[in-house]
Amino acid sequence: MTEKVALIGSGNWGSAVAKIVGGNVQKFDHFQNEVKMWVYEEQIDGQNLTDIINAKHENVKYLPGIKLPENIVACPDLVKTCEDATMLVFVVPHQFVVNVCRQLKGKISPKCKAISLIKGVDVEENDNGFQLITDMIQDSLGIRACMLSGANIATEVAEERFCETTIGYRNKEDGELFKQIFNTSTFRVNIVEDVVGVELCGALKNIIAIGGGLVDGLKLGDNTKAAIIRIGLYEMRKFSKMFYADVKDETFFESCGVADLVTTCAGGRNRKVAEAHVTTGKSFDQLEKEMLGGQKLQGTSTAKDMYGILSKKGLLKEFPLMTTIYRICYEDLPPIRIVEDI
Amino acid sequence: MTEKVALIGSGNWGSAVAKIVGGNVQKFDHFQNEVKMWVYEEQIDGQNLTDIINAKHENVKYLPGIKLPENIVACPDLVKTCEDATMLVFVVPHQFVVNVCRQLKGKISPKCKAISLIKGVDVEENDNGFQLITDMIQDSLGIRACMLSGANIATEVAEERFCETTIGYRNKEDGELFKQIFNTSTFRVNIVEDVVGVELCGALKNIIAIGGGLVDGLKLGDNTKAAIIRIGLYEMRKFSKMFYADVKDETFFESCGVADLVTTCAGGRNRKVAEAHVTTGKSFDQLEKEMLGGQKLQGTSTAKDMYGILSKKGLLKEFPLMTTIYRICYEDLPPIRIVEDI
């Protein structure tokens, strides 16, 4: 059977991924050459962004300076992008997923498989208190969804600097098919039978990155920071296994686990703002406005979501690091408590 | 039964540990108050180092500025230090262990238990091609040995900055007893039933730190470095389990595993010299002389030892990262091959 890939999203990460996928589908006979990419239409100097991308083969707004393969075709219509596809790559901001799925419902092939590249979970009034993005896609569209997550900064990936990533699958054939469209010599894909583990790593690491930044601000040194990373990885694993018994330990040794956590605690906006919280004494809210130019701080909001869930279930004491990070962010606890309270 | 602790070694790490152990034995009734510490006698401004330590309660040469508890008693005679002890803490440089054990043979209580704080393995003509320090202690003295290793820089520990460490045990009572003399609120001990895993982490991480330094020198960015750390942790685990089937995955999630690896790849001399190898083009031998003031580079020599072992067993292809690091260090392979050959 011939597979046809569609990309849903064209931001910084979506465009970096388009470069890889566009190249890879040409290497195999069982993929159709054309890959449509849904672009939320906007005007750049009076021109449609889709027209610029299709003429210049470059996303001049979100990934300037990087050439996209010519078989990537920008399309402003979501349904037209996806209607003849068999493999959907979700790479839109977290808050758009519900609406995207609503528009696609009933319009896609029943043979479709999906993969989510979206980090984060949704707080919901279900048993767990939250919902995974892959579950939202599966439930609303009735198709199986994989998850891709790893230590991947879009620009570094687009510049072909070596890194790794992890694909979690439920059905091994799906995992191997998606591996074919993503794996390159500089973007190394490992597949694991654990969608949920991969997905929760991507969400929870941002909380721990706040901890890493606090330690940096307190100038406690490399050993303390390594301890926070280790305890963070432990709590991420414990949390995931407590809510989903099938999550595998092995997943946390993959790029989505230890590697992404290490990178996020070394760079990234969560770490940076937390460090500034210690050195300036300003609140996270204020620093978010001052330092991030409209971007949102995921670590604090995820910490709040998880705190709410753990609190409701009486589990706060079992997660001292996540709990303490929440309290430092939202209850004015002095930052030094990150090492005193855990 | 009353336990009596003796410290074999009084360097930078030995003295930091003396501060902790001297404090902890006073908290429990089942430890004798006095802790003898063997000091290799030397003269400081015409005075014996042991006399200075016992008068000032400070190791002015190896850990200046840190007060030791008064129950730590420096002793220049190895046998006298240990003859009435039931718990021996080995914290001498790697190359002195054989000689220390030879002197203690037949002179210690049969009730003795030991713990090694020594990182490194010895290349030997046995089946594996190397011998663990804990095995050398066990075999030569006929006593059980635990292992302590973690993300622990001596000075940071002595200054009571928060960190963690791991004790591997064979006999749980030993593990819990040693935990009592080491655990504090800022030096958090976890115990695991895995002496060998803890010990091999401490030896193998230095090879991976060379890789971390090469990536820094090449300016490949945080994602690439995180990938090298992840692959390094994977190869450390695979190597350990291949040579010792009882080694546990869980150990690599402990401080001795992921945390120590992260710290060693962030700071430390192996990382630093490897970075300079890339930026200056000088050999590791030359940089060792120029940069380390007489200290030895453990990462390169361990890489050589492990390469010899893997080569003899036909296993080089199964450990591409360790193999490539060896070749960059000893066979003039260009550093960029660290990401091309793995």
Side-chain angles (χ1 to χ4, degrees), chain B residues 147-216:
Chain B
M147 177 74 202
L148 182 149
S149 183
N152 308 134
I153 294 169
T155 314
E156 295 186 9
V157 171
E159 290 170 355
E160 298 182 13
R161 299 201 222 163
F162 178 84
C163 66
E164 298 187 301
T165 201
T166 314
I167 290 177
Y169 64 83
R170 285 193 174 79
N171 174 303
K172 194 164 188 185
E173 282 170 33
D174 292 356
E176 286 175 347
L177 210 48
F178 279 113
K179 178 173 177 172
Q180 289 178 341
I181 65 167
F182 286 108
N183 190 56
T184 72
S185 63
T186 57
F187 187 65
R188 211 71 69 81
V189 177
N190 277 349
I191 65 173
V192 294
E193 190 182 355
D194 184 1
V195 174
V196 174
V198 175
E199 192 158 3
L200 284 175
C201 280
L204 299 175
K205 59 152 195 179
N206 288 320
I207 306 177
I208 313 307
I210 299 278
L214 294 170
V215 168
D216 285 346

Side-chain angles (χ1 to χ4, degrees), chain B residues 88 90 108-110 112-114 134 137-139 141-145:
Chain B
L88 302 179
F90 281 79
I108 56 169
S109 157
C112 257
K113 305 149 281 283
T134 50
I137 294 170
Q138 297 202 138
D139 294 349
L141 297 178
I143 60 176
R144 285 192 305 268

Side-chain angles (χ1 to χ4, degrees), chain A residues 153 162 164 223-224 230 237, chain B residues 153 162 164 223-224 230:
Chain A
I153 294 170
F162 179 84
E164 298 187 300
N223 287 330
T224 306
R230 191 203 77 78
R237 190 160 56 105
Chain B
I153 294 169
F162 178 84
E164 298 187 301
N223 287 330
T224 306
R230 191 203 76 79

